[in-house]
């Protein structure tokens, strides 16, 4: 989230009796900011305990649709803008236009709708049945051969590929449009 702002209100305001020592505050339930419970305890000999319900709201700058978006549409910079919105109940709001750009909408979206990761999917860089370049790199050595994708996949997805030179089917990682690399080669070995 970009530039988050928090507002907290006490939903059960009640005045606690005086306490000679500083009070202790314990979190009882903080699973959701929309409804949290805290206990205030007085450590005096005849101490007391009061529970308070607090309601918090969180707003932040998040990516929203600038205009209606059709299902399956690949988002461009013109489709996305940043606006301050209440994100208290949204766990997967996208915080930058760049993070949404280039992804496809899974369903139709209204103008001004907060973009959430669950609504978007990464574009397919490898499509089933299409030719791919099988590329293996290790240090200064690079080997490539032709293959046929047996699965579709987005960036970093694992797909099955048939090596056209020998007919073997191997698992490969998508690294670019129409390009895959062996899963067995550690990512750190790639340039």
């Amino acid at each position: 989230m970009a530039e988050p702002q928090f507002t907290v209100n006490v939903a059960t305001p009640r005045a606690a009796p005086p306490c000679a020592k500083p009070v202790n505050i314990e979190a009882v339930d903080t699973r959701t900011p929309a409804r949290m419970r805290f206990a205030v305890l007085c450590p005096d000999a005849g101490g007391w305990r009061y529970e308070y319900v607090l309601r918090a709201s969180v707003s932040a700058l998040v990516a929203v649709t600038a205009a209606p978006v059709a299902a399956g549409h690949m988002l461009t910079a013109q489709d996305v803008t940043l606006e301050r919105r209440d994100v208290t109940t949204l766990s997967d709001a996208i915080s930058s236009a760049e993070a949404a750009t280039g992804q496809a909408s899974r369903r139709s979206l209204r103008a001004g709708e907060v973009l959430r990761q669950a609504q978007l999917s990464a574009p397919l860089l490898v499509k089933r049945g299409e030719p791919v370049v099988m590329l293996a790199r290790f240090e200064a050595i690079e080997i490539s051969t032709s293959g046929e994708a047996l699965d579709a996949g987005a960036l970093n997805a694992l797909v099955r590929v048939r090596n056209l030179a020998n007919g073997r089917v191997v698992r490969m990682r998508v690294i670019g449009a129409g390009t895959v690399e062996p899963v067995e080669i550690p990512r750190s070995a790639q340039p």
Side-chain angles (χ1 to χ4, degrees), residues 42-65:
C42 177
D44 281 348
W48 43 261
R49 173 189 168 103
Y50 280 90
E51 282 198 16
Y52 293 90
V53 173
L54 281 74
R55 297 190 191 281
S57 62
V58 181
S59 70
L61 287 177
V62 292
V64 299
T65 52

Side-chain angles (χ1 to χ4, degrees), residues 41-115:
L41 300 100
C42 177
D44 281 348
W48 43 261
R49 173 189 168 103
Y50 280 90
E51 282 198 16
Y52 293 90
V53 173
L54 281 74
R55 297 190 191 281
S57 62
V58 181
S59 70
L61 287 177
V62 292
V64 299
T65 52
V69 174
H73 175 72
M74 188 81 63
L75 295 174
T76 65
Q78 291 76 28
D79 295 320
V80 182
T81 186
L82 289 182
E83 291 183 11
R84 180 164 296 281
R85 294 295 178 88
D86 183 349
V87 293
T88 306
T89 59
L90 302 178
S91 62
D92 64 342
I94 297 175
S95 61
S96 71
E98 294 78 23
T101 302
Q103 294 198 52
S105 63
R106 293 181 190 263
R107 63 175 181 82
S108 296
L109 304 170
R110 298 181 314 276
E113 192 168 338
V114 174
L115 289 170

Side-chain angles (χ1 to χ4, degrees), residues 111-123:
E113 192 168 338
V114 174
L115 289 170
R116 301 171 60 191
Q117 199 57 57
Q119 298 168 326
L120 305 177
S121 62

Side-chain angles (χ1 to χ4, degrees), residues 28-190:
V28 176
D29 184 1
T30 58
R31 289 177 286 180
T32 175
R35 187 178 191 283
M36 300 179 288
R37 288 186 354 203
F38 289 88
V40 178
L41 300 100
C42 177
D44 281 348
W48 43 261
R49 173 189 168 103
Y50 280 90
E51 282 198 16
Y52 293 90
V53 173
L54 281 74
R55 297 190 191 281
S57 62
V58 181
S59 70
L61 287 177
V62 292
V64 299
T65 52
V69 174
H73 175 72
M74 188 81 63
L75 295 174
T76 65
Q78 291 76 28
D79 295 320
V80 182
T81 186
L82 289 182
E83 291 183 11
R84 180 164 296 281
R85 294 295 178 88
D86 183 349
V87 293
T88 306
T89 59
L90 302 178
S91 62
D92 64 342
I94 297 175
S95 61
S96 71
E98 294 78 23
T101 302
Q103 294 198 52
S105 63
R106 293 181 190 263
R107 63 175 181 82
S108 296
L109 304 170
R110 298 181 314 276
E113 192 168 338
V114 174
L115 289 170
R116 301 171 60 191
Q117 199 57 57
Q119 298 168 326
L120 305 177
S121 62
L124 292 178
L125 298 177
V126 169
K127 295 182 179 154
R128 179 184 170 135
E130 291 190 352
V132 294
V133 174
M134 301 170 70
L135 183 63
R137 289 181 266 184
F138 187 77
E139 297 177 5
I141 302 170
E142 181 174 298
I143 300 169
S144 66
T145 189
S146 297
E148 177 189 357
L150 300 178
D151 300 312
L155 186 65
N156 292 321
L158 299 181
V159 295
R160 292 175 302 136
V161 177
R162 176 178 292 115
N163 183 329
L164 295 180
N166 61 19
R168 284 186 51 207
V169 174
V170 292
R171 284 184 347 132
M172 306 287 278
R173 180 183 299 113
V174 177
I175 60 170
T179 308
V180 295
E181 70 179 4
V183 174
E184 295 78 28
I185 294 179
R187 298 225 49 143
S188 60
Q190 301 295 320

